[in-house]
Amino acid sequence: MTSPQVSADRLLARLDAFAAIGATPGGGVNRQALTRRDREARAFLTALSKARGFSVFQDDMANLFIRMEGRDPSLPPLLIGSHLDSQPAGGRFDGALGTLTAFEVLESLADAGVVPQRPVEVVVWTNEEGCRFAPGCMGSRAFVEGSIPDGWEALRAVDDGALFDDERLATIAALAPDVGHRALGCPVAAYLELHIEQGPSLEREEIPVGIVTGVQGTRWLEVLFEGQTAHAGTTALQYRRDPLKALTAALAELYATIMPENAEARFTVGRIAVTPGSVNAIPATAGCSIDLRHPQADVLDRLEARIRKRLAEAAEAEVVTVAISKTVDMAPVTFADDVVSALQIAAQKGGFRTRAMISGAFHDALFLAGHAPSAMIFVPCRDGLSHNEAEFVRPEDSIAGARMFLTSVLELLSRL
Ligand code: HGY
Ligand code: MN
Ligand code: MN
């Protein structure tokens, strides 16, 4: 047995190969959850896994597991991984870097002839992004809860209206002949995920590795104002019930107050829709998505109440109705001290300069933290840019991250 080393060339080549699946003209990827492209990426990784003699499984949420057997197969596995689904105009590294780094580490262990005491499994979580089907992290949440939440089967895709269950079952069926099937959820000894920071701190501070100690909270609201469509030319002001006027008035104030008055809050309207969408008809409906984030649950409560109140006032002022539904409510989490300390020891052993940080983005590790001791490693990305086709990670940062990830996996295996 030799000392395991990641292969820089192999990892970089893999990143390029997966970036080609769903590649967009702008240099990013569109590989949204449970689409043909997502299935293509899963099939590619499955073929690579089987070529290495790893066993491959999927569960009822199409989460994909690649298993290196341990000397004692009965022990709960060390689980490492991330996601392969992307934003519609996403980057090549969000999710893919963590997934392919985990796979590279599995190959490095195999190359070195390492047979760990406990199994090590790479996992590809289904629908981390939540942009095609809300909520995000559907795969990891169902895994931790042990069942698929009621109502998900009838969810419709934002892009093409496809039914979630049809897409889920088609994705499972596409791989079924080649992989095993397992029930949702299983004991996990610990979970580790590498991801790009999707923020500017590591690059600005020239630190190659972030040790992530927690994830801030996230809430998504779907807002729908309903008024009365009418003729644009003949309807005087006092007869109008214009839902778009209500929406824009509320948003104008929320943009002017939520983030300016709460430095750590993040308030985003990513999607807006108006019907019937005719140039000369007052809208019938005006709706939008709201993504609200903050590290503290009590502040999230206060800001959510503020948003709901302002939307209701705007509806009343324009004599329209407003419906608000919450589709995501991810409480802030703090990762397990023993996993974080293992990462700190690994950084010392590997000679990596690090900084502790919490994640502004949500990740599957947020859900795994409720199931097994979990933590994350961040690598810098250019200008902190993500959810953008220009997302970029320098090769040397991908490689340093993989080396830190390998050292961390070995440290965890020695402790578990
Ligand atoms: O939205 C998020 O935080 C994650 O990147 N999907
Ligand atoms: Mn991600
Ligand atoms: Mn993302």
Side-chain angles (χ1 to χ4, degrees):
M1 184 177 88
T2 58
S3 157
Q5 302 291 331
V6 298
S7 161
D9 292 346
R10 181 168 60 191
L11 175 60
L12 297 176
R14 287 278 159 69
L15 281 167
D16 289 345
F18 277 80
I21 304 174
T24 57
V29 290
N30 179 2
R31 193 171 55 226
Q32 295 184 71
L34 303 177
T35 58
R36 181 169 57 84
R37 297 291 188 209
D38 188 14
R39 291 176 203 140
E40 214 178 300
R42 291 159 179 267
F44 184 23
L45 188 59
T46 297
L48 293 170
S49 306
K50 298 186 74 172
R52 285 301 312 234
F54 300 136
S55 41
V56 186
F57 304 88
Q58 62 185 347
D59 64 19
D60 288 335
M61 272 297 293
N63 295 315
L64 193 64
F65 300 87
I66 300 157
R67 183 179 173 97
M68 164 182 269
E69 201 48 86
R71 293 195 300 277
D72 182 350
S74 69
L75 290 174
L78 168 62
L79 203 53
I80 58 176
S82 190
H83 63 96
L84 283 174
D85 66 295
S86 81
Q87 288 282 320
R92 320 172 15 162
F93 299 90
D94 178 357
L97 181 62
T99 301
L100 297 174
T101 296
F103 187 66
E104 171 57 34
V105 162
L106 213 61
E107 290 206 273
S108 308
L109 295 175
D111 291 344
V114 170
V115 181
Q117 173 66 11
R118 69 179 57 250
V120 180
E121 294 191 357
V122 172
V123 59
V124 180
W125 297 114
T126 295
N127 191 26
E128 185 278 344
E129 293 292 351
C131 45
R132 184 173 187 235
F133 296 101
C137 297
M138 290 173 88
S140 52
R141 179 177 149 190
F143 176 87
V144 167
E145 293 177 1
S147 65
I148 299 177
D150 291 341
W152 280 10
E153 69 284 350
L155 290 171
R156 290 277 178 188
V158 166
D159 58 345
D160 59 9
L163 209 54
F164 173 74
D165 245 20
D166 291 347
E167 299 289 75
R168 175 181 70 87
L169 294 170
T171 301
I172 291 169
L175 270 186
D178 307 319
V179 303
H181 196 275
R182 59 166 60 156
L184 257 177
C186 67
V188 170
Y191 176 71
L192 185 60
E193 179 169 358
L194 179 139
H195 204 284
I196 57 173
E197 180 196 346
Q198 299 178 301
S201 310
L202 292 174
E203 185 189 49
R204 274 197 200 131
E205 297 168 34
E206 296 182 353
I207 293 176
V209 171
I211 292 179
V212 187
T213 57
V215 183
Q216 73 174 344
T218 295
R219 295 184 186 177
W220 287 358
L221 301 177
E222 284 297 325
V223 178
L224 185 68
F225 284 94
E226 293 205 63
Q228 183 181 53
T229 185
H231 197 293
T234 59
T235 313
L237 184 58
Q238 67 267 37
Y239 302 115
R240 289 184 176 225
R241 294 198 300 114
D242 184 344
L244 186 54
K245 190 159 175 272
L247 178 61
T248 49
L251 291 184
E253 189 189 306
L254 293 173
Y255 278 125
T257 55
I258 297 288
M259 289 181 70
E261 294 171 5
N262 303 273
E264 290 186 285
R266 300 291 180 265
F267 173 84
T268 308
V269 176
R271 194 171 50 233
I272 200 160
V274 177
T275 65
S278 162
V279 64
N280 50 358
I282 298 166
T285 68
C288 75
S289 60
I290 289 178
D291 178 316
L292 177 70
R293 311 215 186 180
H294 195 279
Q296 292 161 250
D298 59 330
V299 175
L300 278 172
D301 289 341
R302 176 169 59 81
L303 295 180
E304 181 183 341
R306 183 108 151 261
I307 290 168
R308 287 176 178 271
K309 181 170 178 290
R310 187 62 194 88
L311 293 170
E313 286 165 355
E316 192 179 344
E318 298 306 326
V319 195
V320 299
T321 62
V322 64
I324 305 166
S325 59
K326 183 151 54 174
T327 57
V328 164
D329 189 345
M330 295 178 185
V333 293
T334 301
F335 288 138
D337 288 342
D338 51 354
V339 182
V340 170
S341 65
L343 300 186
Q344 287 160 342
I345 297 297
Q348 284 164 17
K349 287 183 176 174
F352 296 99
R353 244 168 24 89
T354 66
R355 62 158 282 179
M357 56 205 302
I358 67 162
S359 174
F362 62 70
H363 299 284
D364 294 300
L366 178 148
F367 286 93
L368 268 292
H371 185 73
S374 303
M376 295 182 74
I377 289 169
F378 274 174
V379 298
C381 54
R382 185 173 58 198
D383 302 332
L385 200 56
S386 183
H387 288 193
N388 182 306
E389 293 172 298
E391 181 184 277
F392 180 74
V393 176
R394 296 181 312 173
E396 57 268 39
D397 289 329
S398 292
I399 295 157
R403 289 187 175 129
M404 169 66 184
F405 197 80
L406 172 60
T407 312
S408 303
V409 164
L410 294 170
E411 183 66 27
L412 282 170
L413 287 173
S414 72
R415 295 173 170 223
L416 292 170

